[in-house]
């Protein structure tokens, strides 16, 4: 598109870089509410897939399927994973 990127797309807490949805317990009044706010700024978006934060119990979803956390730590350098 034309013009500058919206400010909310940049920085460590942008939808592209945040670990906000990848760590710990996710609740409907915290991260899930924020997720709804993010989706309202991205027309047609209903789900987010996140990685870069290994999930000890494997791939999982939170916020009624709004966020899929898919990093399983498969790399040899992370959590003793195998290639």
């Amino acid at each position: 598109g034309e013009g500058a990127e919206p400010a909310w797309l940049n920085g460590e807490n942008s939808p592209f870089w945040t670990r906000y949805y990848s760590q710990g317990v996710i609740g409907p009044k915290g991260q899930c509410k924020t997720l709804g706010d993010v989706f309202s700024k991205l027309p047609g978006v209903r789900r987010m897939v996140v990685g870069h934060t290994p999930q000890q119990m494997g791939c999982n979803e939170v916020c009624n399927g709004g966020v899929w956390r898919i990093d399983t730590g498969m790399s040899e350098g992370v959590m003793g994973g195998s290639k």
Side-chain angles (χ1 to χ4, degrees):
E2 295 181 22
E5 292 179 346
W8 55 268
L9 281 178
N10 297 311
E12 67 182 39
N13 289 319
S14 78
F16 296 109
W17 298 110
T18 187
R19 292 179 188 231
Y20 185 67
Y21 303 102
S22 297
Q23 298 174 325
V25 176
I26 304 288
K29 294 183 180 178
Q31 291 97 326
C32 294
K33 181 186 178 317
T34 303
L35 182 68
D37 295 341
V38 170
F39 287 168
S40 73
K41 293 178 179 171
L42 301 168
V45 175
R46 297 180 302 156
R47 291 180 191 86
M48 182 183 300
V49 177
V50 297
H52 194 59
T53 305
Q55 303 296 304
Q56 299 280 335
M57 302 297 287
C59 296
N60 61 83
E61 58 85 20
V62 292
C63 300
N64 295 316
V67 176
W68 282 88
R69 306 186 294 187
I70 64 165
D71 191 334
T72 60
M74 294 170 45
S75 169
E76 286 182 344
V78 177
M79 295 176 18
S82 61
K83 299 178 190 173

